[in-house]
Amino acid sequence: MRHRPIRAGAAALALCLLAAGCKEERPAASREPQPAAAGVDVRSGQEKLDPPVVITTAKALRDSDTLKNGDTIDNNPITRWAKDRLGIIQQNKWIVADQNEALATKIRLALSGGDELPDVLFVTNHDLPDLLEEMVDSGKIMDIGEAFERYATPRVKEAYEKNPDVWKTVTYNGKRWGLPQISDGKVGDPIMWIRQDWLDKLGLNAPATLEELEAVMDAFTNGDPDGNGMNDTVALAFAGKNSLNAWMGNVSFLYGAYGNQPYQWNRMSDGSLAYGSVQPEIKTALRRLSDWYGKGYIDKDFGLHDEQQAAAMFVKGHAGIIAGPGWMGGWPLDDTPRQVPGAVVKPLPFPAGPDGRIGRMGTKLSYGSYIFRSGFSRMDAIFLYWDKVYGALTEDPNSDFVHGYAEGYDYIMKDGEPVYDFTGADTGIANFLMVAPGSAPPNVIQGDSIERRVFQGQVKSPYEKKLASTYSRTYLEGLLVSDIQAAYAQKDEYVGPNTGAMKSKWPLLKKLEKEAFLKIVYGKEPADTFDAFVKQWHKAGGDVVTEEVNRWYKETERKGEPPHREGPTLAP
């Protein structure tokens, strides 16, 4: 059975990352957190609200969000659990399609009009930078700082204490305007996926350096690795439609080999932030990427390929290498042997560049946050719900979700044991949770990860049994390979709301960036035109944006403490 990992924010997925600005003081009514009504204290162990509490929310539904057995959006295993177990009645105030930014549009209409927001809204990290300031200034959302301190359980507080930078994604004017999901710290970290059977056929070893990788790419392009007697393969599946560093089908390893990452803000050796796309290392990487294109290692139409199309090239046997997250072994690469009989897909660490340098794009701190309506007084119920879902992520043996989220959806019981591989199995039921922490936060679970334990044969707990039953060894191996190079993840350092200059200047700056990069890689312009692009970028607003970004960075860094980092500092 095939399981598709959640593509956070649709892409770990297509993530524009932009940040903070200040505006005039808000109306007094929105400046202070609303007092919480007397209710359940989740820290006391009390587990059900009496009388029940009604909480309104919104759902952006995908085509895959289907229900069965007569279940509906308002009456399904998740809503029944919340009502019967916790005394919480979920009501969907808004239901929209998860496309064309429908939910963000709905929010904006409510902010500008007289409509009241639902009690709780999930806003993705794609939309949050653009919406946060507007939501705060409307006076229609609440600061949750006091409620978090009052109602969050010790284990939930621990997660945020060990990952404090995640609060920056919802901080504005010194207050916390939402409850961010904490990513697992690795879901978006890419690795190299390669056709091992092609390596074996051509007598090649796994590449450990860029030079060795180029030798492999030449053979994959010109050595007839599929044995059909035709010159119809390329080495690298590359997605260039949305950016030249997409979440799947990227070349972040090439940029990282020279010490930088484009499309994000990186911390430099002097402690400041600089936009990666205008750093000299990117020019060197683009020159080499253009050389690969000229040699036919990359498909001639890569600039028209999005992430899905790049993956399809690999899955259908047209390309022998693709870079993307470690979970790709579960989807979509698990389909490769079915599409190409005899294909063997292998995850590998990225090769080292000049001076042995390795680098890759890093996972986001958060892929979305929960925002709460101003005047909403039942945060006690929210943290009760949050804690119960959080337990399943941290392998709590007493969790209500120890076997899965809903019998008949992601598992069935047979002879007293859960079964996960059955006709009609569907993990999407979890998308109907009212609030969900997302994944096990970094630094919380001690010892080996569950993926490593299961890969090594430890299948004892219900959580280990579930993982072993639902995911392939290739999937598990991919995540373990991702862990090997965890220290080389170069994370975007700017996670706040869009600055004032970003709102007006960023569309033009992104257009200049895309045009310059594509022209260089396609060979339409020499790599030296990168210098002219950099000058134009700074002049067209890049300097002002950089100044605002660094002002935000200084204001949000914790005083008296070193910056919280997992990856290397970039050279100036």
Side-chain angles (χ1 to χ4, degrees):
M1 182 173 59
R2 176 172 57 188
H3 290 267
R4 299 187 176 191
I6 296 174
R7 286 169 280 164
L13 299 126
L15 320 121
C16 61
L17 221 263
L18 311 157
C22 300
K23 284 199 171 181
E24 70 273 7
E25 189 68 11
R26 299 175 305 283
S30 68
R31 289 202 298 267
E32 298 300 328
Q34 298 294 324
V40 63
D41 184 346
V42 295
R43 297 167 300 179
S44 71
Q46 187 178 352
E47 294 190 340
K48 187 170 183 178
L49 298 165
D50 188 16
V53 173
V54 176
I55 299 178
T56 61
T57 186
K59 283 294 176 191
L61 297 179
R62 307 168 303 185
D63 291 341
S64 58
D65 289 327
T66 57
L67 294 164
K68 52 188 177 181
N69 304 323
D71 292 330
T72 67
I73 295 172
D74 293 311
N75 183 11
N76 58 65
I78 295 296
T79 62
R80 291 193 290 272
W81 165 81
K83 181 179 179 181
D84 298 341
R85 183 76 166 82
L86 306 179
I88 296 174
I89 299 173
Q90 299 177 207
Q91 288 186 355
N92 292 289
K93 184 180 178 71
W94 296 344
I95 299 174
V96 299
D98 187 16
Q99 58 187 3
N100 300 323
E101 300 187 353
L103 183 56
T105 300
K106 187 77 172 176
I107 293 171
R108 284 194 174 90
L109 290 173
L111 295 179
S112 61
D115 292 346
E116 187 176 69
L117 296 174
D119 297 328
V120 55
L121 281 167
F122 181 74
V123 182
T124 69
N125 76 308
H126 175 80
D127 295 326
L128 189 60
D130 196 39
L131 280 173
L132 182 60
E133 183 181 25
E134 187 177 348
M135 289 190 293
V136 172
D137 288 348
S138 74
K140 292 187 176 183
I141 68 170
M142 64 180 287
D143 164 24
I144 71 154
E146 181 181 304
F148 180 85
E149 293 303 322
R150 181 174 179 181
Y151 293 119
T153 59
R155 66 181 180 181
V156 170
K157 286 184 176 179
E158 177 196 29
Y160 289 87
E161 288 167 358
K162 291 185 174 181
N163 299 278
D165 279 359
V166 74
W167 286 116
K168 294 179 181 180
T169 64
V170 293
T171 298
Y172 178 69
N173 284 355
K175 294 184 177 181
R176 296 171 176 175
W177 298 97
L179 185 61
Q181 288 184 336
I182 306 173
S183 82
D184 66 0
K186 63 184 180 182
V187 65
D189 288 6
I191 60 173
M192 183 167 66
W193 294 93
I194 199 165
R195 283 285 299 275
Q196 181 64 46
D197 56 308
W198 284 14
L199 287 177
D200 295 341
K201 180 179 183 296
L202 298 170
L204 299 168
N205 295 319
T209 66
L210 279 185
E211 286 70 25
E212 292 177 1
L213 176 63
E214 286 194 348
V216 169
M217 289 197 296
D218 186 71
F220 279 10
T221 303
N222 301 309
D224 191 23
D226 57 1
N228 67 356
M230 301 173 63
N231 185 21
D232 59 354
T233 58
V234 297
L236 184 66
F238 183 30
K241 181 178 181 179
N242 298 315
S243 79
L244 299 193
N245 214 22
W247 59 273
M248 187 165 61
N250 67 69
V251 288
S252 69
F253 68 92
L254 179 59
Y255 304 120
Y258 293 104
N260 221 306
Q261 288 296 324
Y263 306 105
Q264 65 180 48
W265 294 86
N266 303 311
R267 188 168 64 97
M268 311 305 282
S269 59
D270 64 358
S272 67
L273 296 190
Y275 191 57
S277 292
V278 295
Q279 304 309 310
E281 298 87 0
I282 303 305
K283 174 183 177 180
T284 306
L286 290 175
R287 178 183 285 116
R288 194 157 192 175
L289 191 58
S290 179
D291 182 59
W292 290 356
Y293 178 79
K295 292 178 177 177
Y297 300 163
I298 301 168
D299 188 83
K300 62 182 178 62
D301 293 323
F302 79 89
L304 302 176
H305 295 165
D306 62 16
E307 294 85 349
Q308 308 284 353
Q309 290 167 314
M313 287 192 64
F314 185 95
V315 169
K316 294 179 180 179
H318 301 317
I321 302 169
I322 189 170
W327 49 255
M328 284 178 69
W331 175 87
L333 303 189
D334 65 327
D335 203 36
T336 309
R338 287 186 283 273
Q339 295 277 350
V340 186
V344 178
V345 178
K346 182 77 173 177
L348 294 175
F350 284 131
D355 303 320
R357 186 177 287 152
I358 299 171
R360 61 181 182 179
M361 63 193 296
T363 297
K364 307 298 181 185
L365 294 172
S366 173
Y367 288 101
S369 299
Y370 289 93
I371 308 298
F372 301 91
R373 175 182 60 81
S374 179
F376 176 62
S377 62
R378 297 311 301 261
M379 292 297 290
D380 58 328
I382 293 294
F383 283 107
L384 172 64
Y385 195 115
W386 187 274
D387 181 78
K388 294 305 175 187
V389 180
Y390 178 76
L393 305 178
T394 55
E395 302 180 50
D396 180 356
N398 298 313
S399 170
D400 293 341
F401 305 117
V402 67
H403 297 309
Y405 287 103
E407 185 174 358
Y409 281 85
D410 52 350
Y411 73 98
I412 57 174
M413 297 300 293
K414 186 175 182 179
D415 299 328
E417 292 291 328
V419 174
Y420 300 99
D421 191 357
F422 62 95
T423 301
D426 182 5
T427 59
I429 188 65
N431 295 324
F432 291 89
L433 289 165
M434 181 179 67
V435 292
S439 56
N443 312 313
V444 170
I445 297 178
Q446 302 302 310
D448 289 339
S449 68
I450 189 171
E451 294 86 7
R452 181 170 296 278
R453 280 179 268 137
V454 172
F455 187 80
Q456 293 176 342
Q458 179 175 320
V459 186
K460 299 178 181 178
S461 75
Y463 297 99
E464 292 166 349
K465 291 177 181 178
K466 180 179 180 180
L467 184 64
S469 298
T470 53
Y471 290 99
S472 67
R473 287 187 65 80
T474 303
Y475 167 85
L476 296 174
E477 187 178 6
L479 294 179
L480 299 190
V481 169
S482 181
D483 288 345
I484 290 172
Q485 294 186 329
Y488 299 117
Q490 297 167 310
K491 298 180 182 295
D492 194 330
E493 297 286 353
Y494 190 42
V495 295
N498 291 346
T499 71
M502 279 182 172
K503 293 176 182 179
S504 60
K505 306 292 186 181
W506 208 244
L508 172 60
L509 295 176
K510 295 299 290 183
K511 180 175 182 290
L512 294 174
E513 173 188 66
K514 185 172 185 177
E515 290 177 353
F517 283 20
L518 283 174
K519 286 179 180 179
I520 291 173
V521 177
Y522 271 123
K524 296 182 181 298
E525 298 283 357
D528 286 341
T529 59
F530 178 86
D531 300 329
F533 152 69
V534 171
K535 290 180 181 179
Q536 189 177 11
W537 186 91
H538 284 290
K539 185 177 180 180
D543 281 341
V544 179
V545 173
T546 301
E547 180 182 344
E548 292 178 345
V549 164
N550 278 281
R551 186 184 308 132
W552 169 89
Y553 190 61
K554 291 177 181 178
E555 290 172 353
T556 56
E557 280 301 320
R558 300 182 303 283
K559 295 181 180 179
E561 299 181 31
H564 177 72
R565 303 287 175 263
E566 294 183 20
T569 299
L570 300 178

